[in-house]
Amino acid sequence: MIKNIFKAFVILFAFIACSSDDPTDQDPFQMRVDQIIGNEPDFNGFLLIGNSEEITYSSGFGFSERENDVPITINTVFDIGSITKPFTAMGIVKCEEKGLLSYNDRLGDIFMNIPSDKAAITILDLLTHRSGFVESIGDDYQEITTEEFIEESMETKLLFEPGTEYAYSNVGFSILGIIIEKLSATTYEQFLKQEIFDPAGMTTAGYVIPDYESAEVANGYDDQGVFSDPGTNLGKPFDLPWDDEGPFWHLKGNGGLLMAASDIHAFYKALSGNELFSEAQKTAMYTRYIQEGQDNTYVGLGWSLGNTRLGSSAMHNGGNDVFFADLVHSVERDQFVFLASNAARLSQEDLISKILQEL
């Protein structure tokens, strides 16, 4: 791909200038991070670094709407992709706290007429990608009802005996979302809002409940040419086929939540204390249950766990070839890094690891 060097320079200069009155005032760490982002061709997104007390780096690059030159800011709303999974897992933790379920409850205890090979799958199996369910059974935007999704999921052949191996499964996390709805007698999004988003002070997080008419939701740009001509504006996430309560179940629960970087900071601050979860609950979330394939990382409750320059860390990323997001926070230190893009490229998946080298 030909690098548009002039355009990259203009965007980098314009938006670093927005984040600092005088670039010479930046400390060496900020300058090194700026250089890392500047070396990424035409990066279109936001980078946030901080801790529970303060934001130490905050800068937008490029535009949320290229056609109207609308700059990306800390309040720009992105599709965070599979970072949805930790929030689904935390919803299950809240259900357990309320006595609605136990992690050892089986699908056969929750749903009727479950096939025998799947009846013994536990909620913990689903949370830790040990259910044996395949990764997906349909397109993210394919219309499907709750009943149809459960039926189709139960008709699939398991990859292995539940609880014995690891296989990343979007299906499993959508089933967890359905379990939240079934046991809480409210919608998946409303439950997360009540139990996590509102207590943490998150105002843009969700699918359809926030007032996205007044928020700046980023358009998605197909810069890789995966679905259309390179650079095509594919619109905002909710412009794609969604149900009245957000995406259909091929996506809901496992991906597609919307939120701004400002909400990530609010969430991290609440997570760092005991506002959202007790120390015992966080210990359960950060327990290393099984190794992820050949990687030197492990599965927690919704989080991928491993060692970074921040020590023991919880992380997750996600994307759909248009939007991409990546979140890492330390379990040992008070530090997090969040990156989001509305014009995904494969090289962006290495950006946070490069930034971590500077921390």
Side-chain angles (χ1 to χ4, degrees):
M1 183 179 293
I2 299 176
K3 298 180 180 180
N4 191 331
I5 298 175
F6 176 76
K7 182 178 178 182
F9 173 79
V10 170
I11 291 174
L12 179 62
F13 177 82
F15 293 101
I16 291 178
C18 289
S19 63
S20 175
D21 293 335
D22 182 356
T24 62
D25 292 337
Q26 290 184 301
D27 64 27
F29 166 73
Q30 291 177 319
M31 295 179 68
R32 291 195 300 271
V33 173
D34 287 341
Q35 183 176 16
I36 291 170
I37 298 297
N39 289 336
E40 175 65 19
D42 297 333
F43 178 68
N44 217 80
F46 198 89
L47 176 64
L48 186 70
I49 304 172
N51 53 53
S52 59
E53 297 296 326
E54 63 179 345
I55 293 171
T56 56
Y57 184 99
S58 173
S59 192
F61 301 83
F63 302 98
S64 64
E65 294 182 2
R66 291 173 176 172
E67 299 76 12
N68 299 314
D69 292 343
V70 178
I72 288 173
T73 73
I74 194 171
N75 296 313
T76 299
V77 176
F78 291 87
D79 179 338
I80 64 166
S82 283
I83 299 177
T84 300
K85 289 182 176 68
F87 286 99
T88 298
M90 287 183 280
I92 291 292
V93 172
K94 285 295 183 181
C95 286
E96 193 272 342
E97 177 186 286
K98 293 175 176 296
L100 299 177
L101 57 78
S102 163
Y103 297 138
N104 292 321
D105 285 348
R106 305 175 305 166
L107 291 185
D109 301 325
I110 300 170
F111 300 102
M112 297 179 61
N113 303 318
I114 297 297
S116 59
D117 63 326
K118 301 175 182 70
I121 294 173
T122 66
I123 288 176
L124 186 60
D125 290 334
L126 295 170
L127 286 168
T128 56
H129 297 290
R130 296 182 295 178
S131 65
F133 279 119
V134 296
E135 182 172 358
S136 60
I137 58 173
D139 182 78
D140 283 354
Y141 304 103
Q142 176 186 335
E143 183 174 345
I144 192 167
T145 67
T146 303
E147 294 74 18
E148 289 170 340
F149 184 85
I150 290 294
E151 182 179 354
E152 290 187 20
S153 299
M154 298 307 154
E155 289 176 351
T156 62
K157 182 178 179 180
L158 294 180
L159 300 175
F160 47 78
E161 181 182 348
T164 63
E165 298 182 44
Y166 165 85
Y168 187 86
S169 178
N170 290 316
V171 172
F173 269 77
S174 290
I175 292 173
L176 288 170
I178 292 171
I179 289 172
I180 289 173
E181 291 200 341
K182 183 177 179 65
L183 299 184
S184 70
T186 187
T187 68
Y188 165 82
E189 181 182 1
Q190 184 61 50
F191 187 81
L192 292 189
K193 181 179 188 300
Q194 172 186 318
E195 299 296 329
I196 299 173
F197 300 157
D198 285 353
M202 302 166 72
T203 60
T204 66
Y207 286 129
V208 297
I209 293 176
D211 180 13
Y212 289 129
E213 290 187 3
S214 62
E216 182 52 57
V217 181
N219 289 333
Y221 294 92
D222 187 10
D223 278 8
Q224 298 180 99
V226 175
F227 307 104
S228 52
D229 293 334
T232 298
N233 174 11
L234 298 182
K236 304 183 189 303
F238 44 67
D239 291 335
L240 295 164
W242 274 21
D243 200 359
D244 292 339
E245 296 176 352
F248 297 99
W249 281 113
H250 288 305
L251 180 60
K252 187 161 62 174
N254 75 71
L257 273 175
L258 309 179
M259 64 186 68
S262 56
D263 270 353
I264 292 291
H265 187 225
F267 162 70
Y268 177 77
K269 287 192 294 184
L271 182 66
S272 296
N274 294 323
E275 298 172 50
L276 289 179
F277 302 102
S278 68
E279 289 302 316
Q281 289 172 322
K282 285 189 280 188
T283 296
M285 286 193 287
Y286 300 142
T287 294
R288 300 183 177 192
Y289 293 92
I290 191 171
Q291 189 170 359
E292 291 181 296
Q294 300 300 313
D295 296 333
N296 193 28
T297 55
Y298 297 80
V299 184
L301 300 188
W303 294 103
S304 176
L305 305 170
N307 296 323
T308 71
R309 286 288 292 270
L310 302 180
S312 179
S313 300
M315 60 201 94
H316 215 295
N317 64 18
N320 57 6
D321 293 319
V322 177
F323 285 90
F324 174 75
D326 203 352
L327 174 63
V328 177
H329 72 271
S330 176
V331 176
E332 299 177 344
R333 292 166 48 184
D334 185 10
Q335 184 82 61
F336 79 94
V337 183
F338 173 71
L339 177 144
S341 172
N342 61 329
R345 299 184 183 200
L346 291 176
S347 53
Q348 293 171 6
E349 296 182 14
D350 296 326
L351 280 176
I352 279 192
S353 63
K354 294 177 182 178
I355 291 165
L356 288 174
Q357 298 303 310
E358 302 297 333
L359 292 173

